Amino acid sequence: SGTDPRVVGKANRILQEVSRIELLTKRLLDLVRVGTILRSATDPAALAREVAARKSFSVEVIADAAPTSWSLDAPRIEQVLENLID
């Protein structure tokens, strides 16, 4: 006797969701880890466009009112943008 395909499908879905939650948890923990914040003058709109350009789907960045330079930790903000867009 074989396994019910519906059961296999549900089990696969559960495994996919567990993997997704594990990745999300890891990313959140990476984001909140205590560490030195290294601020530098950064163009936030350019940073957002760079992250958007790496996606396999279309992301429109509307940054008309964004400042041309902002003191921020670019790698951390880049990770935040990655997570938000994903």
Side-chain angles (χ1 to χ4, degrees):
S1 95
T3 304
D4 185 340
R6 292 176 298 173
V7 172
V8 172
K10 287 179 182 180
N12 285 334
R13 175 72 179 171
I14 290 169
L15 290 174
Q16 288 172 348
E17 287 300 308
V18 167
S19 293
R20 187 182 68 79
I21 290 169
E22 180 182 30
L23 178 61
L24 178 60
T25 302
K26 180 192 176 309
R27 286 180 174 173
L28 287 171
L29 288 173
D30 288 344
L31 184 63
V32 298
R33 281 196 184 10
V34 175
T36 304
I37 295 175
L38 303 174
R39 292 178 179 263
S40 63
T42 304
D43 180 343
L47 185 62
R49 285 187 188 96
E50 288 173 23
V51 172
R54 292 194 298 259
K55 299 301 169 186
S56 61
F57 48 88
S58 178
V59 177
E60 182 180 4
V61 176
I62 301 171
D64 299 337
T68 56
S69 182
W70 209 352
S71 178
L72 52 85
D73 187 326
R76 287 185 186 218
I77 297 301
E78 182 177 1
Q79 184 61 54
V80 168
L81 291 171
E82 288 277 352
N83 292 344
L84 287 172
I85 292 172
D86 286 346

